[in-house]
Amino acid sequence: MTIGNSERLPVIDHLSYSSVNTYRQCPLKWHFRYVEKIPEEVIGSALVFGSAVHSGIERHFQTLLETGKASTTEQLLEAFDECWTSFDTDLIKFGKGDDTQTMRELAKKMFTTFQVSHFANPKGNIVAVEESMRAEFVTGVPDVLARVDLAVQSGDELVLTDFKTSRSRWSADQAQSQAEQLLLYANLAGRVLDGKQIKLQFAVVTKAKTPQLEVHEVSLDAARLDRTKAVFSRVWDAIKSGNIYPAPTPMNCFSCGYKTACQAWNG
Amino acid sequence: MAIRANVSFSQKHGQPDFGSVGAGCSLEFELDTTLLEKDSTALREQFDLAYIACRQAVQQQLTPFEQSEGVLSRAPVHSNTNGRKRPSRPATQSQQRALWAICNNHALNLEAVCRDEFDVPAADCLSISQASSLIDKLKNENSVSGGAR
C-alpha cells in the first residue's frame, strides 16, 4: 500500500490546496482519498453543509451574472437542497442537536444575511463564479487546480473572494493566517484572468442563531507566497519519496471517514 | 428507452518552432428518447452543454501551454489555430455559461452573436473584457440584430 519507490509512484495529475492540506494533516488520509480513492465511511455534516451553502452562493452570483437580478431565498435553498442530496445522505454524521432540517433552517438564515449584505451586490463585472483554474505553481511539481469562488473586475482591479462558513466570527489575524489559499489563487489568477491589481478577501458568514457576514481583506505578501510554494514543493517531495503514514490526533480522527481502512493498514 | 449520444471536441495550438500541442475530450451519455420525439430544442441544448463541457475541459488542459514562461512565452499574444484566433486570456467558463444561458433565454444563436459582435466564431474566442461587455449588452437588450436562430 505504501508508495515505496519511483516505479510505484501514484499517478498524480494535479495537486490542489485541499489535497496538500490533507497530506499535511495526515499522509495516510491523503493516500486513501487521492490515490486509492476509497469512498469515505462517513461524511461530516459540516462539510456537506459548507458545500451546500457554497452552491446557494454560487447560484446567486451566476444568476446575477446572467440576468443582473438577485435570486430569491427559495432559489438559493433549491441549490442548497440539490447539493445536499447529491451526497449519500445515509453517510452524513451530524453533530449534537443537528439534523437535516435544523441545518436547512440555519442555511436559510445565512442566505438571508448574505442577500442583504453589500457582498451580495459587488461593484464591477463578475467574471468568474466557482471557476476552475489550472496552472503550474512550482516548477517540477504537478499543476495546481484551484476553484475560485468569485472574481469581480472593476477597472484595473480584480477582486478574488473565497467564501467561508464558520462557527464564530473571524478576526483580522485569523483571516491573515488563512491567507495561503488566497495567495495561491492570486498567483494562478494573475496569469489566467485580467487585472493589474489583485485584491484578496474572505467573506465569512457565521453559523450562528443570528448569522453575520464579514469581509476580511488579505494582503498580498510575496514572502508568504514563497513559503506556500516551498510547502507545495516539500509535500510533493514527500509524496514522491513514498512518505505515507497515519498521523492520529483527536481532531483528525474524530470525523475521519477512513477509520476502518486506517485500522486495517499495516504499512 | 435511451438514446446514446457521443460528443467530442479536440483542439490543437501552434507552438514556436513549428511545434504544436493538442488535447481532446469525448463524452458519452444517455438521453431520454422522448427528447428526440417531442423536444428537439431541449435535445439540442443537451448537446450544446456537452460541447461546452468538452471545450472547457480541453481549454483547461491547453491553457498552461499558452501561458507558461520560458520558450512558450515567445509565442504571440494571439495564437492562430486553424483560422481561430484565441485571446491570451479567454472568457472564463462562468462567462461562457452566462452567454449560453442568456442566448438560450432570448432564442439567440450564440455563435452568430459572437460573429456579429466581435468577428469570432465562438464564445471561447472572446477575451474576458469582450465577454463582459457582450453579457452587459445582451442583458440590456431584448434582442440582437442578426443573432436570432
Side-chain angles (χ1 to χ4, degrees):
Chain A
M1 194 177 284
T2 50
I3 309 156
N5 54 45
S6 58
E7 283 76 40
R8 295 181 62 199
L9 259 181
V11 177
I12 300 294
D13 172 54
H14 64 269
L15 294 175
S16 64
Y17 180 78
S18 171
S19 74
V20 167
N21 231 11
T22 302
Y23 187 92
R24 291 163 78 185
Q25 285 168 6
C26 177
L28 187 57
K29 182 177 182 177
W30 174 87
H31 182 72
F32 288 148
R33 181 176 288 170
Y34 295 99
V35 179
E36 295 206 8
K37 298 182 179 11
I38 299 175
E40 299 198 36
E41 297 159 28
V42 290
I43 311 165
S45 60
L47 176 76
V48 181
F49 182 78
S51 301
V53 171
H54 256 83
S55 291
I57 305 295
E58 178 185 357
R59 175 76 55 89
H60 167 87
F61 286 117
Q62 190 66 33
T63 305
L64 202 57
L65 175 62
E66 289 169 13
T67 66
K69 292 172 191 163
S71 302
T72 62
T73 310
E74 281 310 311
Q75 287 169 323
L76 303 189
L77 282 169
E78 202 176 278
F80 178 91
D81 292 339
E82 280 170 19
C83 179
W84 188 279
T85 51
S86 71
F87 286 88
D88 186 340
T89 47
D90 292 339
L91 300 182
I92 298 174
K93 186 179 179 183
F94 289 98
K96 199 178 175 185
D98 282 336
D99 58 31
T100 306
Q101 195 51 38
T102 57
M103 297 203 100
R104 192 177 189 276
E105 281 162 16
L106 176 59
K108 187 176 182 180
K109 285 183 193 168
M110 290 167 74
F111 285 144
T112 307
T113 301
F114 160 75
Q115 286 172 305
V116 297
S117 70
H118 291 301
F119 172 64
N121 285 294
K123 287 178 185 167
N125 287 317
I126 295 171
V127 295
V129 182
E130 289 284 327
E131 185 87 8
S132 297
M133 298 186 302
R134 180 184 171 139
E136 182 183 275
F137 182 52
V138 186
T139 307
V141 174
D143 283 354
V144 170
L145 187 67
R147 274 176 86 85
V148 170
D149 288 347
L150 179 69
V152 176
Q153 197 159 28
S154 180
D156 280 346
E157 193 176 62
L158 181 72
V159 183
L160 298 182
T161 306
D162 197 60
F163 191 80
K164 298 285 187 196
T165 54
S166 170
R167 281 201 176 278
S168 53
R169 292 169 65 185
W170 279 21
S171 65
D173 284 348
Q174 197 176 352
Q176 204 60 43
S177 73
Q178 303 279 332
E180 277 186 355
Q181 184 180 5
L182 276 175
L183 290 168
L184 163 66
Y185 291 0
N187 186 271
L188 302 189
R191 283 174 279 159
V192 178
L193 305 173
D194 277 332
K196 288 175 184 167
Q197 296 171 337
I198 295 181
K199 192 170 128 183
L200 305 175
Q201 61 186 30
F202 285 111
V204 184
V205 63
T206 54
K207 297 186 275 188
K209 279 183 184 170
T210 309
Q212 284 185 296
L213 190 147
E214 289 177 323
V215 174
H216 295 276
E217 212 173 304
V218 167
S219 57
L220 273 164
D221 180 342
R224 192 84 191 278
L225 179 65
D226 287 344
R227 188 178 185 280
T228 307
K229 287 184 175 182
V231 168
F232 270 67
S233 186
R234 288 302 172 97
V235 165
W236 179 239
D237 286 346
I239 290 170
K240 281 195 298 183
S241 304
N243 285 339
I244 299 299
Y245 56 89
T249 67
M251 193 180 277
N252 277 352
C253 301
F254 173 71
S255 59
C256 182
Y258 297 114
K259 281 180 184 163
T260 306
C262 183
Q263 280 160 12
W265 183 82
N266 60 9
Chain B
M1 176 118 180
I3 314 166
R4 181 169 292 178
N6 205 318
V7 164
S8 66
F9 181 84
S10 62
Q11 201 163 25
K12 210 174 208 183
H13 282 189
Q15 295 288 299
D17 302 325
F18 307 103
S20 68
V21 60
C25 175
S26 290
L27 282 180
E28 194 173 289
F29 52 100
E30 288 189 347
L31 293 167
D32 197 316
T33 318
T34 54
L35 284 177
L36 190 62
E37 294 160 355
K38 295 178 184 167
D39 195 347
S40 59
T41 308
L43 181 67
R44 173 69 196 268
E45 282 171 7
Q46 295 298 316
F47 281 117
D48 285 347
L49 283 171
Y51 271 113
I52 287 173
C54 282
R55 191 185 288 162
Q56 287 174 352
V58 167
Q59 284 165 3
Q60 207 163 29
Q61 295 301 317
L62 293 177
T63 300
F65 293 97
E66 290 178 345
Q67 291 158 0
S68 299
E69 296 296 324
V71 177
L72 299 178
S73 67
R74 294 201 297 268
V77 173
H78 288 83
S79 55
N80 193 333
T81 56
N82 299 326
R84 287 165 65 104
K85 284 183 179 177
R86 288 197 70 232
S88 59
R89 289 168 191 224
T92 63
Q93 297 155 38
S94 318
Q95 289 178 312
Q96 291 182 49
R97 271 201 307 271
L99 282 167
W100 182 86
I102 296 167
C103 286
N104 195 41
N105 287 339
H106 291 95
L108 299 171
N109 181 319
L110 176 56
E111 293 187 346
V113 171
C114 291
R115 273 198 302 275
D116 290 350
E117 295 293 323
F118 291 103
D119 196 24
V120 296
D124 62 348
C125 298
L126 297 170
S127 68
I128 288 176
S129 54
Q130 285 173 331
S132 279
S133 65
L134 187 54
I135 289 168
D136 284 344
K137 184 174 182 180
L138 292 175
K139 277 195 297 199
N140 293 329
E141 289 178 0
N142 288 324
S143 63
V144 174
S145 60
R149 272 179 188 156

